[in-house]
């Protein structure tokens, strides 16, 4: 996961009371220019997507995970930061593993940065139907320094 650089400290005020950068501004860091959403938002969206794909209600999953319906709703909307125990219980209720949850959140972030994501579990010969499409690698261009992220 790329590190998001903190904003540089403001320079001391000038005689006219204005602040400015301590040195001339260079090219901006493209990663720092795009703020990443909080992890709770990504996790909640992944949980909701899996629940809806299964055609299940909040009540059904909340009962199976032994959490309250309002709490699960808040988690899915990214308003509550669930503990690892709660995330594990909700994942089990949905038939997911924690690695699936984290992998899906990782793939969302990677795609938002324009990275190629290949899910090895859905590759041909993996033995089951794909959960998500596999993004093919470009074949017409020479190799580049593009990051390749693999998910299993």
């Amino acid at each position: 996961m790329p590190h998001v650089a903190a904003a540089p400290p403001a320079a001391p005020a000038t005689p006219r009371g204005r602040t400015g950068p301590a040195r001339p501004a260079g090219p901006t860091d493209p990663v720092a220019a795009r703020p990443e959403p909080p992890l709770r938002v990504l996790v909640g969206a992944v949980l909701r997507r899996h629940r809806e794909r299964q055609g299940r209600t909040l009540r059904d999953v909340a009962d199976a995970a032994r959490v309250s319906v309002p709490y699960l709703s808040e988690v899915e909307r990214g308003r509550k930061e669930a503990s690892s125990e709660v995330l594990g219980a909700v994942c089990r209720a949905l038939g997911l593993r924690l690695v699936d949850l984290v992998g899906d959140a990782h793939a969302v972030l990677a795609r938002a940065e324009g990275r190629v994501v290949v899910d090895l579990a859905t590759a041909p010969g993996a033995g089951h139907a794909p959960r998500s499409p596999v993004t093919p690698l470009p074949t017409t261009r020479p190799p580049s320094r593009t990051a390749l992220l693999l998910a299993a």
Side-chain angles (χ1 to χ4, degrees):
M1 185 58 64
H3 174 71
V4 178
T14 61
R16 293 185 183 163
R18 291 181 281 168
T19 59
R23 52 185 151 24
T28 60
D29 180 5
V31 173
R34 278 181 272 173
E36 293 177 335
L39 185 58
R40 70 179 184 274
V41 172
L42 293 169
V43 165
V46 169
L47 291 173
R48 176 172 283 183
R49 185 172 56 247
H50 281 280
R51 179 181 60 77
E52 289 176 345
R53 283 184 183 162
Q54 294 176 16
R56 296 174 68 187
T57 64
L58 272 169
R59 177 165 304 284
D60 176 41
V61 175
D63 288 348
R66 303 186 77 162
V67 298
S68 72
V69 173
Y71 184 73
L72 180 57
S73 175
E74 294 283 300
V75 168
E76 282 190 356
R77 289 184 287 153
R79 295 186 178 195
K80 294 287 184 187
E81 190 93 42
S83 69
S84 59
E85 290 86 1
V86 168
L87 290 177
V90 174
C91 283
R92 281 189 299 279
L94 291 169
L96 298 174
R97 298 171 303 153
L98 280 173
V99 71
D100 298 324
L101 175 67
V102 173
D104 285 356
H106 169 260
V108 169
L109 282 174
R111 285 186 188 109
E113 290 183 357
R115 296 183 184 200
V116 175
V117 178
V118 178
D119 186 348
L120 296 178
T122 62
H128 55 81
R131 290 183 311 230
S132 61
V134 174
T135 305
L137 294 173
T139 56
T140 58
R141 289 189 243 165
S144 67
R145 296 185 64 144
T146 302
L148 174 64
L149 302 174
L150 303 175

